Every structure is written in structure tokens, then in C-alpha cells.
């Protein structure tokens, strides 16, 4: 009898089909990999193109940093535009579409909320107007830069960037000067989000009452030192302030300058590490420009021809966010007899209305009406935070923001620093600066150091803009701006040192209101402590300061934590791990994880039960509030809940926070404390947003690294406090690190995370990651000599027909 072969035949067929499918997948992935490698731009050779007036050289060093050498400043900006486009064109296209409110044309309905908000703000319209307000030299530089971007778009062969092909997207439209100005405004919007805190205050007042909500935002201690006061004290004599705290939902940066009395060289030094979200590709892009009358190097933002942090050899500058209150919400009331008008102190006025249509890929276009009042665009119905803030049905909320004006000359101010030679030049540039307000530190080769915090800061008819104002009364109207001559500034302080870390800038005697939302002073205090330890600072000592992971916040809170009495064995074991800890947030230790988990659970215990649905929006570090609660200065936040068995007290919550933290850590990371190591849970995980979704390629395009530090250490690593799923993951910090030693030919040093290129298959995609982690910045010499030339690209003017 013949044996049946049907089963074996079916299995064999499936096996062959599976093998064939696997081969096809491997071949497809291989072809994709080869094609992606071919998408890396040409960085050697000669290209003939229209645009430059003379030959432009783009010399790239071993890290992919372009050194653009040209015969005129405009040609240098042309070369920078070309280099930006080569390395970051898709990133620039995304940024431009975000600013224009046109992301949905490329990415579909998932980005509609972004587009509606940016269209409502009219940010790109303001950018177009601002271009006309710039001086002819700046407009010419912006146009030359745009010509460089467009020359790359027009001259490329193959894929402009692999993302365009993966998304089946058309080549981008020509770049315009307004695109650069618009992205600068988007960055300003990112750094000027105090309207959200204003909306939160209003919602808390409605839910908790004025007195209780007010206690959630305690005032900044009147006797706490300020940035300007600290710089005026003798070196080494800064008082320690463990109460220099204020809740701040944003994030920060560090910068400092010291004069020659405190350096080994006898000339000033400057350090800066602006804190932004970690991303792939990097937010920053390093570059060096050389032309007659122009020699400058430092960090740029792709899409903008400005050295934001850098040096021209004569002066150096760095930035941190001041965090001013330059945004206000106004509740507007429609006129009772005519809903097309709204009430003002002088009667009624018509809403300005315009229709906008958003193109939606794979969907139907969306048309909506935008309304504006005398204060600004109406954001009710556009942003959830602004809904339900009115006092009666029909009320709407408008947003006022200084940078929605069409006369913004911030771009001109920034580019003027490229050729500044001294303090008067620096101040002349600052006079043109509209925002966002930054603590800009300065140093020059003549031995001077200084600081100014320029911006348009509104002066209000009444109040401080901490909660939305009634638009029809005029009570919160802006009546002008703080005079430039009265903005905070400092030159050559007696200490010879200036350090800023987003903490309080001015004291109570300062005549103008800037903000109530200063950040805690822990980072600034620690920087000043470390600067005062020696008078022979050099590159290595500045690197050590930038890498410092001691948390003065942890040092202050440890006695509080150790005073608690946990109720469980797991909680008691967790508390025992804090004994003897010095507050250093080292990546290879478990203790920082224990402390952060305890503090987070303590904050949850203090106010989660009071806030209800608002808790997630309000939940943040809020150190000033927690300090006030524990000191009994903020009302009954700890003891407002009682049961028959237990009366809730702060002491009880301090101990229970260990119990809750132990349970959370075990559920989140497992029962083995070895898996709680700070560097492991506080790791940086970076992935390309598109390639990170492709099996087999995702692992080739990501960066994962253990990272120490925390929110209150100089080596800062912020995390999303109110997200149980991503908690402790480092998402925010010093994406750029810069150190400039004036007078040193190799003294301009910069490093970014993760690398220069936006193409995952470029050798410069993530090649700086290890060097960034070690804070080993890369020298960028000014002039032609000293450049480590690895690649040479010549841009030749095309013959005139």
C-alpha cells in the first residue's frame, strides 16, 4: 500500500514559500540599505551651480563639521545653506511645514492639531512681515542662505533625503527668507510657554478656590540670591540658598563666563550647554564660516543662518532661557447684540476673521475660521488648555504674545554678533533683540565679561498676567514694554564671574515685573561653587563642571526623606539605601533611582487627592510648593483627608512615599534592585522617527546610552515627571555643549548629540554620541589653518549663458 505524501507535500510547499519570502525580504532590505547608502550627499568634488558670486569651499573635518570658505559674507551664507540642505533638508522641511501649519499635507490627519494651532497664531504671516523689518544686509544674508538651500534642491541627483522617498513626497518648495525667520519664532514659542501655566492657574482657581490655588504657587523667597547679586559678590563668597525654588514646568540651560583673573590663560572663558529635547537628528548643527570681514564658528539651527552660540575670536556669547512672562490670556466677551463683535473698554469691536484651509494627505481638506481680537488670536476650541476659562457661555480666550508682531528684528540682532568686536557692539545687537528673552553672557579678548537679558517684556495696566484677564475691562492690557535701558544687565562684576541657570535674575527692588516662574537655583549655586574652587580654570576644569552630577536638591531633601517611617519591609529597605548617600546622581548607582522615585511618590501623595482630573496637568517637580507644604507654610495639603484609622499628615506621607515607591519600582522594573540602576532607567533612547519603525533597520539607526545627572544637576537630564510609562527616561538636557577659551587658536570647542547628519546612513549620523556623553567637545579653529580637512567640496558659479 502506497504511503500518502499529501501532508509532506503541503509542508514542503509551505517551507519553500517561507524560504522564498524570507529571501525576498532579505533582498528587499539589502536593496533598501544600498539605496539609503547612496542617498548620502556628495561632500567631495566640484559642483557647478547658479547662486554664488565666486567659488565657495566646503571643507568637512573628521566629524562632519563644515568649514565654509568664501570670498564674500553672502557667499559664505550661501555655502551654509547648501551644507544645511545636504545634511538636514528633511528636518528643515518638517520645521518649515510646522511653522506654516502645513504638516498634514505631508503626514495626514495625525498632525491636524499642530496645523490648526500654528495657523491660528498666524506665526508665518508675522514672519513674512518681519523679513521686511530687517535691514538690507540681513535680508541679503537670508536670501543668500535661501539660494544655497535651493541650489542643493535644484542640483541634487537621486534622493534629496531618504525620508522624501519613503513618504513618496514631492521635492520641497524653494526656501524663502521667511522660512528662516518663522523657525526662529517657533523656537521662541517653544521657550515661551507660560500661557499654559496661566491657564492651569485659572483652572485650579475654579476647582479649588483662590486661596488654595494660590498656595500651590508660593512666591519666590524674597531673601534668595539672584544671578546679578551673586555676580557682584567677591569670588568664593556666594551664600548657599536651599530655598531658592519656584515651580517651573519648563526646562533650562547653563552658561557662565569668567574673566582672566580666574583662568590659566589670563583671558576670559565662556561655557554654555543649552537644554532642549534630545532628538534624532540633532536640534543643533555645528559650522564655521570664513570670508572677508566674517570669521565665526559655533552652533546653528538648521534652517537659520545664525550662529546662536559661538565666537568670532574677538567675542564669545552663550544663552540660557530667562523664562519671562511674555504671553497673556484674555477672556473676550462677544457683544450681546452681535456675536461678530466683542466688548472693549470703549465699546464693541469686530472680530477679525479669516478662513484657512489645511490640506490633509489621504483625507479631505479642512477649512476653519480664525478669529482675532485686539489682544491676539482666539485659541478657544484650538487648544484644550484654553477651553472653559470664560465666565459665561460664549466667552472666548485670546492669546497675546510679543513675537506675533511683524516688526521682530531678532534675526538681525543674532547675525550682528557674527561681526561684533566689543561690549558696545554686543549691546547694539541686543537692542534689536525682541525675544525670547535670554540670559546672554558675553566675553571679549580685551578681558571684559558681561550679561544682558534682552527682549520685549510687556508692561501691564494692572496685575502681573498670572491668570487670564477680562479683555473688556482693559485691566490687563499691555501699555508698553520695559525700556531697553532698564533690562537686566551686568558688566565686569567684582567677582569676575557670571553664571546663569534659569534661576531668579533680579531682586524685589527691580522696578519691572519679569516673571514669577523662575527655576530653582540649585544648578546655578553648584556652578558658582565649582567656579570658586580655583583661579586657574581651563578647558578640562570647565568640562568637569559641565559633567558634574551632584544634586543640591537631593542634598537638601535627604534629611526629610530619612525622617520618614515606612510601613512595609520593602519601603524600609528602600529608605535604607539612602543612608550615607551624598546626592550624586551617578549612572552606575541605584540610590538616585530610589531618591527620585521617593520624591515623585511624595508629590503624588501630597496633591493627587486634592486635584482630581487636573492632577496630571499639575503634576510636576514643583519643589517650592513641596517645600512650603512640608514647612507648614502652604495650608493643609497633607492633612485634608482622614479615615477612622488614620489621620493624614506630612510625616505619614514622607514614610508612605517609600512604600509606594518600592511597589512602583518593582512593578515598573522588576524585583531585582540591580535593574533599578540610575543609568539604566535614566537612559537616553533615540530613534529616527521613520526608520525606527522598519524591522531590520531600526537597530541600525538608533542610539541608546546610560546617562547620569538629573533635573537639578549641572549635567542635567530631564524626564517626563507625570508619565508612569516613560518616567525617568532622559528626554531633555544639554543637546549642545560649548566651551570657548578666548585667545586659544583651538579654544572654540563644541559637541552635539548625536551627530551632524540627518541621514541615518551617513557616517556623521551618530558619530558624536560617545564624545558628547564624555563631554569632550571638538575644536573648531577659526581661519583656514588648523582645519582637519577630510573632505573638500567646491561650489563653482555656473557659466552665464
Amino acid at each position: 500500500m502506497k504511503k500518502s505524501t499529501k501532508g509532506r507535500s503541503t509542508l514542503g510547499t509551505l517551507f519553500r514559500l517561507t524560504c522564498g519570502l524570507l529571501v525576498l525580504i532579505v533582498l528587499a532590505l539589502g536593496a533598501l540599505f544600498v539605496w539609503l547608502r547612496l542617498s548620502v550627499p556628495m561632500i567631495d568634488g566640484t559642483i557647478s551651480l547658479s547662486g554664488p558670486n565666486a567659488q565657495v569651499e566646503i571643507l568637512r573635518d573628521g566629524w562632519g563639521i563644515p568649514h565654509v570658505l568664501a570670498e564674500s559674507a553672502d557667499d559664505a551664507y550661501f555655502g551654509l545653506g547648501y551644507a544645511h540642505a545636504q545634511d538636514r533638508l528633511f528636518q528643515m522641511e518638517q520645521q518649515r511645514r510646522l511653522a506654516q501649519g502645513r504638516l498634514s499635507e505631508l503626514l495626514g490627519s495625525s498632525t491636524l492639531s499642530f496645523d490648526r494651532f500654528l495657523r491660528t497664531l498666524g506665526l508665518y504671516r508675522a514672519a513674512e512681515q518681519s523679513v521686511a523689518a530687517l535691514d538690507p544686509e540681513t535680508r541679503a544674508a537670508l536670501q543668500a542662505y535661501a539660494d544655497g538651500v535651493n541650489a542643493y534642491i535644484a542640483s541634487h541627483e537621486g534622493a534629496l533625503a531618504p525620508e522624501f522617498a519613503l513618504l513618496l513626497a514631492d521635492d520641497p518648495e524653494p526656501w524663502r527668507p521667511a522660512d528662516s525667520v518663522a523657525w526662529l519664532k517657533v523656537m521662541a514659542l517653544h521657550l515661551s510657554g507660560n500661557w499654559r501655566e496661566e491657564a492651569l492657574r485659572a483652572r485650579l482657581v475654579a476647582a479649588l478656590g483662590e486661596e488654595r490655588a494660590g498656595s500651590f504657587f508660593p512666591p519666590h523667597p524674597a531673601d534668595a540670591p539672584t544671578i546679578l547679586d551673586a555676580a557682584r559678590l567677591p569670588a568664593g563668597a556666594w551664600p548657599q540658598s536651599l530655598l531658592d525654588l519656584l515651580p517651573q514646568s519648563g526646562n533650562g540651560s547653563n552658561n557662565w563666563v569668567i574673566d582672566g583673573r580666574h583662568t590659566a590663560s589670563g583671558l576670559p572663558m565662556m561655557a554654555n550647554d543649552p537644554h532642549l529635547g534630545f532628538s534624532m537628528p540633532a536640534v543643533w548643527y555645528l559650522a564655521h564660516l570664513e570670508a572677508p570681514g566674517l570669521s565665526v564658528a559655533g552652533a546653528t539651527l538648521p534652517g537659520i543662518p545664525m550662529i546662536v552660540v559661538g565666537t568670532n575670536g574677538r567675542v564669545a556669547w552663550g544663552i540660557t532661557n530667562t523664562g519671562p512672562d511674555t504671553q497673556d490670556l484674555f477672556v473676550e466677551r462677544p457683544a450681546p447684540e452681535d456675536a461678530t463683535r466683542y466688548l472693549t473698554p470703549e465699546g464693541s469691536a469686530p472680530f477679525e476673521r479669516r478662513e484657512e484651509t489645511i490640506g490633509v494627505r489621504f483625507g479631505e481638506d479642512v477649512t476653519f475660521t480664525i478669529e482675532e481680537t485686539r489682544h491676539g488670536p482666539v485659541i478657544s476650541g484650538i487648544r484644550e488648555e484654553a477651553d472653559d476659562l470664560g465666565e459665561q457661555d460664549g466667552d472666548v480666550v485670546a492669546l497675546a504674545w510679543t513675537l506675533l508682531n511683524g516688526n521682530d528684528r531678532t534675526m538681525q540682532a543674532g547675525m550682528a554678533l557674527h561681526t561684533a568686536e566689543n561690549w558696545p557692539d554686543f549691546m547694539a545687537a541686543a537692542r534689536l533683540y525682541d525675544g525670547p528673552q535670554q540670559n546672554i553672557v558675553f566675553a571679549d579678548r580685551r578681558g571684559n565679561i558681561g550679561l544682558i537679558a534682552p527682549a520685549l517684556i510687556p508692561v501691564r495696566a494692572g496685575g502681573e498676567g498670572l491668570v487670564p484677564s477680562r479683555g473688556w475691562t482693559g485691566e490687563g492690557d499691555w501699555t508698553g514694554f520695559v525700556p531697553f535701558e532698564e533690562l537686566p544687565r551686568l558688566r565686569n562684576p567684582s567677582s569676575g564671574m557670571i553664571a546663569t541657570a534659569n534661576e531668579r535674575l533680579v531682586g524685589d527692588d527691580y522696578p519691572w515685573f519679569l516673571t514669577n516662574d523662575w527655576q530653582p537655583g540649585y544648578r546655578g549655586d553648584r556652578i558658582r561653587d565649582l567656579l570658586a574652587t580655583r583661579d586657574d580654570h581651563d578647558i578640562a576644569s570647565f568640562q568637569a563642571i559641565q559633567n558634574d552630577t551632584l544634586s543640591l536638591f537631593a542634598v537638601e531633601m535627604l534629611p526629610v526623606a530619612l525622617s520618614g517611617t515606612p510601613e512595609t519591609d520593602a519601603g524600609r529597605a528602600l529608605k535604607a539605601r539612602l543612608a550615607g548617600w551624598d546626592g550624586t546622581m551617578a549612572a552606575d548607582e541605584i540610590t538616585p533611582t530610589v531618591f527620585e522615585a521617593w520624591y515623585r511618590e511624595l508629590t503624588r501623595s501630597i496633591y493627587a487627592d486634592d486635584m482630581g482630573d487636573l492632577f496630571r496637568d499639575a503634576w510636576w517637580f514643583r519643589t517650592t510648593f513641596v517645600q512650603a507644604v512640608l514647612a507648614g507654610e502652604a495650608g493643609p495639603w497633607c492633612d485634608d483627608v482622614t479615615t477612622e484609622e488614620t489621620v493624614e499628615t506630612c510625616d505619614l506621607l514622607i514614610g508612605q512615599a517609600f512604600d509606594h515607591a518600592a511597589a512602583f519600582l518593582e512593578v515598573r522594573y522588576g524585583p531585582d534592585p540591580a535593574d533599578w540602576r540610575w543609568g539604566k532607567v535614566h537612559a537616553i533612547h533615540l530613534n529616527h522617527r521613520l526608520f525606527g519603525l522598519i524591522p531590520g533597520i531600526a537597530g541600525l539607526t538608533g542610539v541608546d546610552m546610560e546617562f547620569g545627572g538629573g533635573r537639578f544637576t549641572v549635567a542635567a537630564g530631564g524626564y517626563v515627571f507625570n508619565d508612569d510609562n516613560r518616567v525617568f527616561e532622559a528626554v531633555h538636557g544639554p543637546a549642545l555643549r560649548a566651551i570657548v577659551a578666548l585667545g586659544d587658536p583651538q579654544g572654540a570647542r563644541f559637541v552635539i548629540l548625536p551627530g551632524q547628519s540627518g541621514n541615518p546612513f551617513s557616517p556623521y549620523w551618530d558619530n558624536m554620541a560617545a564624545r558628547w556623553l564624555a563631554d569632550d567637545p571638538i575644536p573648531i579653529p577659526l581661519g583656514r589653518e588648523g582645519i582637519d580637512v577630510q573632505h573638500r567640496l567646491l561650489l563653482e558659479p555656473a557659466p552665464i549663458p
Side-chain angles (χ1 to χ4, degrees):
M1 186 175 179
K2 238 180 182 179
K3 290 186 179 179
S4 172
T5 60
K6 182 176 180 181
R8 284 182 291 170
S9 175
T10 301
L11 289 174
T13 301
L14 287 174
F15 178 76
R16 288 190 294 274
L17 287 173
T18 301
C19 289
L21 182 60
L22 288 174
V23 169
L24 287 175
I25 291 173
V26 170
L27 289 174
L29 288 174
L32 177 61
F33 183 81
V34 171
W35 177 81
L36 290 171
R37 290 287 295 174
L38 293 174
S39 69
V40 175
M42 171 181 168
I43 55 177
D44 285 293
T46 302
I47 299 175
S48 178
L49 39 73
S50 60
N53 296 307
Q55 183 187 84
V56 177
E57 286 185 277
I58 302 179
L59 309 178
R60 280 182 168 81
D61 61 21
W63 299 96
I65 300 170
H67 302 255
V68 182
L69 282 63
E71 295 184 17
S72 70
D74 283 349
D75 277 358
Y77 292 123
F78 177 97
L80 178 62
Y82 194 91
H84 272 176
Q86 282 187 301
D87 289 328
R88 302 289 188 88
L89 185 61
F90 185 72
Q91 179 185 21
M92 292 165 61
E93 177 67 4
Q94 284 184 302
Q95 293 171 174
R96 170 168 60 176
R97 286 181 175 274
L98 174 62
Q100 293 176 338
R102 295 177 57 198
L103 276 174
S104 300
E105 294 177 8
L106 181 66
L107 302 176
S109 59
S110 63
T111 54
L112 262 174
S113 61
F114 296 101
D115 288 345
R116 285 175 64 93
F117 183 53
L118 270 297
R119 293 281 187 99
T120 298
L121 290 185
L123 187 146
Y124 195 79
R125 296 165 67 232
E128 291 178 309
Q129 296 166 2
S130 295
V131 171
L134 302 173
D135 69 352
E137 183 178 354
T138 305
R139 289 200 304 272
L142 286 172
Q143 187 60 60
Y145 174 84
D147 291 343
V149 176
N150 295 330
Y152 177 69
I153 295 173
S155 65
H156 79 283
E157 294 182 3
L160 276 169
E163 295 92 340
F164 288 105
L166 284 179
L167 292 172
L168 301 177
D170 295 332
D171 286 356
E173 299 169 358
W175 194 265
R176 303 172 58 214
D179 298 331
S180 297
V181 175
W183 185 241
L184 193 60
K185 286 181 178 286
V186 171
M187 291 299 295
L189 182 65
H190 176 68
L191 296 171
S192 308
N194 65 283
W195 72 268
R196 297 180 185 86
E197 197 83 342
E198 189 175 322
L200 176 62
R201 283 189 181 96
R203 294 161 70 195
L204 288 177
V205 167
L208 304 176
E210 286 190 25
E211 183 176 352
R212 196 88 190 280
S215 71
F216 191 67
F217 302 96
H220 193 86
D223 59 349
T226 68
I227 290 172
L228 297 189
D229 287 341
R232 294 188 180 104
L233 295 173
W238 295 281
Q240 292 298 304
S241 170
L242 298 181
L243 298 176
D244 186 14
L245 310 167
L246 199 80
Q248 169 75 348
S249 59
N251 291 283
S253 305
N254 308 314
N255 66 13
W256 62 89
V257 286
I258 60 176
D259 66 23
R261 289 176 290 168
H262 306 295
T263 67
S265 69
L267 287 173
M269 293 182 62
M270 183 275 292
N272 195 190
D273 50 284
H275 301 169
L276 293 170
F278 298 134
S279 66
M280 291 187 92
V283 175
W284 298 98
Y285 184 92
L286 304 179
H288 164 211
L289 308 180
E290 287 286 339
L294 178 69
S295 178
V296 64
T300 70
L301 296 166
I304 300 175
M306 179 201 300
I307 302 294
V308 181
V309 175
T311 181
N312 60 21
R314 298 175 298 279
V315 304
W317 59 93
I319 59 173
T320 64
N321 198 22
T322 312
D325 191 340
T326 58
Q327 298 173 332
D328 279 342
L329 297 177
F330 289 88
V331 178
E332 310 283 19
R333 178 156 295 170
E337 71 284 356
D338 186 354
T340 67
R341 302 176 69 86
Y342 65 98
L343 300 181
T344 77
E346 289 77 34
S348 67
F351 284 102
E352 293 184 19
R353 285 186 164 94
R354 70 179 189 276
E355 279 200 347
E356 294 272 356
T357 298
I358 300 173
V360 182
R361 195 177 188 186
F362 312 120
E364 296 183 0
D365 292 353
V366 174
T367 299
F368 68 109
T369 301
I370 296 170
E371 294 183 328
E372 288 194 28
T373 73
R374 65 196 182 95
H375 296 117
V378 173
I379 61 173
S380 300
I382 303 296
R383 291 299 296 245
E384 181 181 346
E385 302 98 317
D387 295 341
D388 303 321
L389 296 183
E391 298 177 9
Q392 66 181 38
D393 290 344
D395 288 352
V396 295
V397 176
L399 171 65
W401 180 36
T402 54
L403 288 186
L404 290 180
N405 73 82
N407 297 309
D408 173 18
R409 292 183 292 171
T410 300
M411 183 72 74
Q412 182 178 334
M415 296 185 72
L417 292 179
H418 296 182
T419 55
E421 297 193 8
N422 48 42
W423 177 260
D425 290 348
F426 177 66
M427 294 299 289
R431 185 178 289 275
L432 303 171
Y433 186 93
D434 285 349
Q437 190 176 29
Q438 300 286 291
N439 302 314
I440 308 178
V441 294
F442 161 93
D444 68 23
R445 286 196 62 172
R446 300 178 182 180
N448 300 297
I449 64 172
L451 171 146
I452 187 169
L456 291 180
I457 307 297
V459 176
R460 298 166 177 85
E464 296 178 336
L466 300 181
V467 293
S469 299
R470 296 181 179 91
W472 60 90
T473 67
E475 60 194 35
D477 283 1
W478 293 359
T479 59
F481 300 99
V482 174
F484 176 78
E485 289 73 17
E486 299 183 35
L487 290 170
R489 68 192 65 195
L490 188 63
R491 180 170 181 259
N492 293 332
S494 57
S495 69
M497 304 180 184
I498 304 171
T500 85
N502 319 106
E503 72 270 45
R504 193 179 190 191
L505 178 61
V506 294
D508 288 344
D509 58 344
Y510 183 69
W512 304 101
F513 174 74
L514 296 181
T515 183
N516 267 355
D517 293 335
W518 308 110
Q519 288 208 26
Y522 298 119
R523 285 183 287 113
D525 286 343
R526 179 61 177 165
I527 292 167
R528 287 183 278 271
D529 287 345
L530 293 172
L531 287 175
T533 61
R534 55 193 292 180
D535 285 328
D536 61 345
H537 282 287
D538 54 16
I539 298 294
S541 70
F542 271 31
Q543 289 173 256
I545 295 174
Q546 289 184 332
N547 271 326
D548 186 75
T549 58
L550 177 68
S551 170
L552 294 184
F553 171 65
V555 170
E556 179 179 359
M557 291 298 293
L558 268 172
V560 176
L562 293 173
S563 72
T565 305
E567 298 175 351
T568 66
D569 289 342
R572 286 188 283 271
L574 210 64
K575 175 186 170 181
R577 288 185 175 275
L578 293 183
W581 183 50
D582 68 353
T584 299
M585 306 289 288
D588 59 355
E589 293 188 9
I590 298 169
T591 320
T593 308
V594 172
F595 173 78
E596 293 288 325
W598 166 80
Y599 179 73
R600 186 169 179 268
E601 292 302 324
L602 176 64
T603 63
R604 191 201 309 254
S605 298
I606 288 174
Y607 56 98
D609 53 354
D610 301 272
M611 300 242 171
D613 293 341
L614 291 177
F615 172 64
R616 287 285 167 179
D617 290 340
W619 195 21
W620 204 245
F621 293 87
R622 301 200 180 276
T623 51
T624 300
F625 166 69
V626 172
Q627 289 279 346
V629 169
L630 298 180
E633 300 170 356
W637 289 88
C638 284
D639 59 2
D640 58 334
V641 174
T642 61
T643 67
E644 293 182 1
E645 298 83 13
T646 304
V647 177
E648 185 180 285
T649 66
C650 288
D651 289 341
L652 180 68
L653 297 186
I654 290 168
Q656 287 181 343
F658 283 109
D659 302 323
H660 299 321
F664 175 78
L665 290 174
E666 182 169 346
V667 170
R668 182 71 178 82
Y669 302 110
D672 185 358
D675 293 329
W676 306 349
R677 192 178 69 255
W678 183 238
K680 185 173 182 178
V681 304
H682 190 243
I684 297 172
H685 301 293
L686 299 179
N687 281 289
H688 189 283
R689 291 181 180 177
L690 291 180
F691 294 112
L693 303 175
I694 302 175
I697 291 183
L700 301 175
T701 62
V703 169
D704 297 287
M705 60 177 70
E706 295 193 358
F707 190 50
R711 182 172 176 80
F712 303 113
T713 61
V714 182
Y719 61 83
V720 183
F721 196 80
N722 61 354
D723 184 343
D724 285 342
N725 295 319
R726 295 190 66 192
V727 68
F728 305 143
E729 178 185 338
V731 298
H732 191 282
L736 160 71
R737 285 169 165 154
I739 300 174
V740 178
L742 288 167
D744 180 355
Q746 297 290 321
R749 299 165 190 262
F750 305 85
V751 67
I752 60 174
L753 178 71
Q756 285 283 95
S757 177
N759 189 318
F761 298 91
S762 164
Y764 306 120
W765 165 246
D766 60 1
N767 65 319
M768 290 189 192
R771 194 151 182 171
W772 175 88
L773 186 63
D775 192 11
D776 185 12
I778 298 159
I780 305 181
L782 292 172
R784 188 184 187 102
E785 298 300 322
I787 300 173
D788 174 26
V789 180
Q790 298 294 315
H791 303 278
R792 183 171 183 258
L793 180 66
L794 298 182
L795 307 181
E796 295 279 6
I800 298 176

